[in-house]
């Protein structure tokens, strides 16, 4: 006979879990107690459940294995919902365990009582409450299967407190069996035929369930077919940006030359992604529901095929399995679009060259150039939402898999917790979090987690004193009528030092490089605050130009 808490920890161990992210609660003391005896699971205690859930998301995003977090009922679970929404929209495998109220108090609106099936109904892939400790091995293993199969997503497991302390005899937990979905020969044959008839094809990569191997197989297939390849919003780690087939990021505000090419393409091969509102420029790059182009859509979840766009050919396969099959497919004749692919790559290189000048004393262009020259290919970049992120998305040339963690759902506050999870996974790699002044203070408290676990991340806070993205939209839609977008900020560098980290303030471009070197040398979690002129609201347009519609 074992307690429910012990059975939970055993089921996690059986499924290969080596770390959990948590904020403790009295509702799941029995699990915390069992973790005390586990020498296989590292407990990373966080400062807010939103941060813990985002760390779990980042872990799932970079490894493909479910990120695990534990939170308490009511306020813990509702705080965490920000990270659950990200995992849902971004198709990341995560499992969140919630300590639930005891059974006898149910339906009385007891202390911190929430019905999780209703609360998470729309933003989780599956929600389950375990009432009988004997069923823990079955239901936890199923949670892993659901989180990782088809289109991955967040699973919520609610654990009533009295169930966790009860004793039960349960079968031994066995690990989940991953489910693969491969393309059939007929589909690959049809793809070869469609490509053979195409004149202006384009490939867009997105979604999850990729790996370093799948990426390199897709790169070699692109080379064989001389295909131009773009990546979906914030899925930049899926293709080497210096590969001659790389055509750019199909995200917010794509390169106009690229957008024109996609609109005029006659075949689009969409692999792994949903091509949602952001990458599709509000469903205009491909017309929905009936695209003008021949559309070949490859997705691991049959429910995503034909959901928004009617494909000419639907291939129900994971990116991994598709990339393997595609790498074996050879063209009958030399494709005649190779010159176009070369031209698109050249256009990308021009587009991703940062501007030398801009308003104010600090220029982000040269700072990005500097970072490009010193960061190794395997450095990991994380960020949340804000205009500052366009500097990373447009000018950082991603080369390798597992080097990017940023929510496609456009959630603020992800950079710092994402960086903590990434550094815990890859202690030997450099991890750089980008944040705005608004974004950083949403989950900046997780800087304390970086300090607690000696995780020397470098957070770059681009401080323009405003919720810049919203100010930009405001000035465009309601010129001169500033409302609710000004910020009065703390001294961010001092804040980092108060946490026990290294802090620097940069007020001139030339100060950045030595500050960055000192941050690296400190071997402490570091924060570099860049004081950016609010006029530098985009890499190419000022706030005044936007207000005055110039
Ligand atoms: C959690 C969350 N709240 C609000 C928003 C809306 N929003 C998008 S960007 C933004 C401003 C970001 O400001 P900051 O981090 O300072 O970056 P900046 O745009 O100034 O570069 C806001 C409020 C959001 N996307 N996510």
């Amino acid at each position: 006979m074992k307690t429910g808490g012990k059975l939970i920890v055993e089921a996690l161990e059986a499924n290969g879990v080596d770390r959990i992210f948590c904020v403790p609660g009295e509702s799941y003391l029995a699990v915390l107690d069992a973790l005390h005896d586990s020498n296989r699971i590292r407990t990373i205690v966080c400062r807010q459940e939103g941060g813990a859930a985002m760390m779990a998301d980042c872990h799932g995003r970079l490894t493909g294995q479910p990120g695990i977090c534990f939170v308490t009922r009511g306020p813990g679970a509702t705080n965490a919902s920000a990270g659950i929404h990200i995992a849902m929209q971004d198709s990341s495998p995560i499992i969140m365990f919630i300590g639930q109220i005891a059974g006898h108090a149910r339906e009385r609106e007891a202390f911190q009582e929430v019905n999780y099936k209703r609360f998470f109904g729309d933003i989780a892939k599956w929600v389950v409450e375990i009432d009988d400790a004997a069923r823990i091995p079955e239901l936890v293993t199923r949670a892993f299967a659901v989180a990782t199969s088809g289109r991955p997503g967040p699973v919520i497991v609610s654990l009533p407190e009295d169930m966790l302390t009860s004793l039960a005899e349960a079968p031994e937990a066995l690990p989940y069996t991953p489910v693969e979905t491969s393309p059939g020969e007929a589909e690959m044959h049809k793809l070869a035929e469609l490509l053979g008839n195409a004149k202006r094809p384009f490939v867009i990569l997105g979604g999850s369930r990729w790996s370093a191997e799948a990426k390199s197989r897709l790169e070699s297939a692109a080379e064989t077919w001389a295909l131009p390849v773009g990546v979906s919003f914030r899925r930049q780690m899926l293709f080497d940006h210096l590969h001659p087939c790389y055509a750019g990021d199909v995200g917010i505000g794509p390169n106009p030359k690229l957008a024109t090419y996609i609109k005029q393409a006659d075949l689009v091969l969409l692999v792994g992604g949903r091509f949602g509102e952001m990458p599709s420029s509000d469903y205009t790059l491909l017309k929905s529901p009936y695209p003008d182009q021949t559309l070949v859509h490859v997705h691991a979840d049959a429910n995503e095929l034909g959901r928004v766009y009617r494909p000419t050919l639907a291939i129900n396969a994971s990116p991994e399995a598709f990339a393997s099959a595609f790498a074996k497919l050879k063209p009958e004749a030399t494709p005649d679009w190779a010159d176009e692919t070369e031209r698109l790559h050249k256009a990308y290189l021009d587009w991703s060259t940062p501007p030398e000048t801009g308003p104010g004393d600090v220029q982000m262009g040269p700072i990005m150039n500097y970072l490009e020259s010193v960061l190794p290919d395997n450095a990991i970049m994380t960020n949340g939402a804000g205009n500052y992120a366009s500097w990373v998305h447009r000018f950082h040339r991603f080369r390798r898999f597992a080097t990017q963690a940023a929510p496609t759902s456009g959630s603020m506050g992800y950079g710092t917790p994402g960086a903590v999870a990434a550094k815990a996974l890859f202690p030997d790699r450099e991890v750089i979090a980008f944040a705005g002044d608004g974004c950083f203070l949403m989950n900046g408290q997780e800087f304390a987690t970086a300090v607690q676990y000696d995780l020397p991340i470098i957070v770059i806070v681009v401080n323009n004193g405003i919720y810049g993205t919203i100010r930009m939209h405001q000035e465009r839609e309601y010129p001169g009528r500033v409302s609710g977008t000004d910020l009065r900020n703390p001294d961010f560098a001092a804040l980092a030092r108060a946490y026990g980290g290294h802090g620097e303030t940069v007020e001139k471009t030339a100060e950045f490089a030595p500050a960055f070197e000192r941050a690296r040398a400190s071997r402490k979690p570091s924060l570099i605050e860049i004081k950016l002129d609010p006029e530098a609201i985009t890499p190419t347009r000022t706030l005044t130009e936007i207000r005055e519609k110039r």
Side-chain angles (χ1 to χ4, degrees):
M1 301 282 272
K2 292 172 182 162
T3 66
K6 178 85 179 149
L7 290 166
I8 290 284
V9 170
E10 285 184 1
L12 293 176
E13 287 177 343
N15 281 286
V17 171
D18 63 359
R19 76 200 61 197
I20 62 146
F21 303 96
C22 76
V23 175
E26 69 274 33
S27 54
Y28 68 94
L29 285 174
V31 176
L32 290 171
D33 185 63
L35 284 167
H36 181 78
D37 294 334
S38 172
N39 51 19
R40 299 200 356 229
I41 300 180
R42 178 183 189 199
T43 300
I44 299 182
V45 63
C46 309
R47 302 305 175 117
Q48 212 261 19
E49 291 84 354
M54 290 177 200
M55 289 182 205
D57 172 276
C58 182
H59 183 91
R61 187 183 297 265
L62 296 180
T63 63
Q65 298 304 314
I68 309 294
C69 68
F70 275 80
V71 302
T72 198
R73 57 206 175 191
T78 51
N79 269 350
S81 61
I84 300 303
H85 179 250
I86 293 171
M88 186 70 181
Q89 289 228 311
D90 286 38
S91 312
S92 305
I94 82 171
I95 305 174
M96 181 166 87
F97 293 86
I98 306 173
Q100 169 66 307
I101 62 161
H104 70 270
R106 196 88 46 88
E107 297 296 342
R108 292 175 170 173
E109 199 187 337
F111 181 63
Q112 302 180 341
E113 180 175 3
V114 170
N115 177 324
Y116 298 109
K117 278 191 194 286
R118 279 208 293 270
F119 182 76
F120 286 109
D122 225 23
I123 59 165
K125 194 174 171 193
W126 184 47
V127 184
V128 63
E129 190 154 286
I130 307 183
D131 286 325
D132 175 2
R135 294 192 63 195
I136 285 174
E138 169 201 344
L139 292 170
V140 170
T141 293
R142 178 165 162 203
F144 279 81
V146 174
T148 53
S149 64
R151 178 180 165 196
V155 169
I156 309 292
V157 184
S158 164
L159 306 170
E161 190 181 346
D162 50 341
M163 182 283 290
L164 287 177
T165 51
S166 69
L167 288 167
E169 206 169 333
E172 191 189 341
L174 294 177
Y176 77 104
T177 310
V179 181
E180 192 50 282
T181 324
S182 304
E185 264 177 44
E187 282 90 18
M188 294 311 290
H189 184 76
K190 180 76 184 166
L191 171 61
E193 188 185 308
L194 292 172
L195 277 174
N197 292 330
K199 296 270 173 281
R200 280 172 71 87
F202 193 69
V203 182
I204 303 172
L205 312 179
S208 58
R209 295 194 62 181
W210 286 86
S211 65
E213 294 71 33
K215 171 180 176 283
S216 73
R217 285 193 186 118
L218 208 296
E219 281 165 356
S220 72
E223 219 165 295
T224 307
W225 289 84
L227 283 165
V229 178
V231 291
S232 190
F233 181 51
R234 297 184 167 174
R235 301 292 190 186
Q236 289 170 275
M237 66 177 186
L238 299 183
F239 207 86
D240 180 352
H241 287 21
L242 295 185
H243 189 287
C245 292
Y246 186 64
D249 167 20
V250 191
I252 297 178
N255 182 351
K257 285 185 182 157
L258 178 59
T260 305
Y261 179 88
I262 297 173
K263 280 188 184 161
Q264 292 171 355
D266 61 356
L267 181 146
V268 171
L269 169 59
L270 178 57
V271 186
R274 299 184 288 128
F275 213 51
E277 185 182 346
M278 287 296 138
S280 68
S281 303
D282 198 9
Y283 304 104
T284 59
L285 280 184
L286 289 186
K287 283 191 199 141
S288 78
Y290 306 128
D292 291 335
Q293 300 87 343
T294 296
L295 175 66
V296 180
H297 193 178
V298 181
H299 203 287
D301 191 334
N303 289 325
E304 294 299 333
L305 296 166
R307 180 177 173 184
V308 178
Y309 308 97
R310 180 190 168 277
T312 311
L313 172 63
I315 302 184
N316 185 199
S318 71
E320 286 252 35
F322 175 78
S324 296
F326 194 26
K328 290 180 200 131
L329 209 64
K330 305 286 175 235
E332 273 179 19
T334 315
D336 51 15
W337 52 71
D339 289 351
E340 199 67 19
T341 302
E342 211 173 290
R343 194 183 61 77
L344 283 166
H345 183 59
K346 166 93 185 34
Y348 160 72
L349 293 175
D350 293 345
W351 174 254
S352 61
T353 302
E356 284 298 321
T357 56
D361 289 338
V362 179
Q363 310 296 322
M364 284 302 291
I367 289 177
M368 292 311 296
N369 264 336
Y370 165 77
L371 286 174
E372 291 305 288
S373 68
V374 298
L375 287 177
D377 289 353
N378 67 359
I380 301 172
M381 313 296 268
T382 69
N383 61 265
N387 269 31
Y388 70 88
S390 56
W391 293 100
V392 189
H393 297 329
R394 181 160 164 187
F395 303 115
H396 179 60
R397 290 172 173 162
F398 289 88
R399 312 287 313 271
R400 297 234 228 146
F401 186 71
T403 55
Q404 183 179 35
T408 70
S409 69
S411 177
M412 292 168 72
Y414 188 92
T416 307
V420 169
K423 191 73 184 173
L425 261 173
F426 302 108
D428 298 335
R429 289 165 60 177
E430 288 200 62
V431 179
I432 316 292
F434 267 79
D437 43 330
C439 203
F440 177 71
L441 281 179
M442 283 217 179
N443 277 317
Q445 75 283 346
E446 301 306 342
F447 195 84
T449 312
V451 171
Q452 180 160 345
Y453 294 97
D454 285 327
L455 298 169
I457 59 171
I458 300 182
V459 183
I460 297 176
V461 177
V462 184
N463 177 8
N464 57 5
I466 51 176
Y467 280 127
T469 307
I470 312 307
R471 174 69 64 83
M472 175 185 73
H473 291 307
Q474 191 165 61
E475 293 283 17
R476 196 189 57 233
E477 302 295 326
Y478 302 95
R481 293 176 57 81
V482 171
S483 175
T485 49
D486 272 335
L487 294 172
R488 183 168 162 181
N489 286 310
D491 176 341
F492 287 105
L495 188 60
R497 291 192 290 269
Y499 275 123
H502 177 87
E504 298 256 1
T505 309
V506 168
E507 301 197 46
K508 293 201 167 56
T509 310
E511 291 169 5
F512 184 80
F516 190 77
E517 284 318 313
R518 284 191 295 271
R520 272 174 150 178
S522 76
R523 301 194 180 277
K524 285 185 189 174
S526 302
L527 184 153
I528 302 173
E529 175 192 1
I530 297 177
K531 297 243 192 220
L532 188 69
D533 190 320
E535 276 296 315
I537 196 69
T538 79
T540 49
R541 297 192 73 203
T542 64
L543 207 47
T544 303
E545 284 168 349
I546 289 169
R547 183 187 315 114
E548 296 175 355
K549 306 204 185 317
R550 282 196 262 135

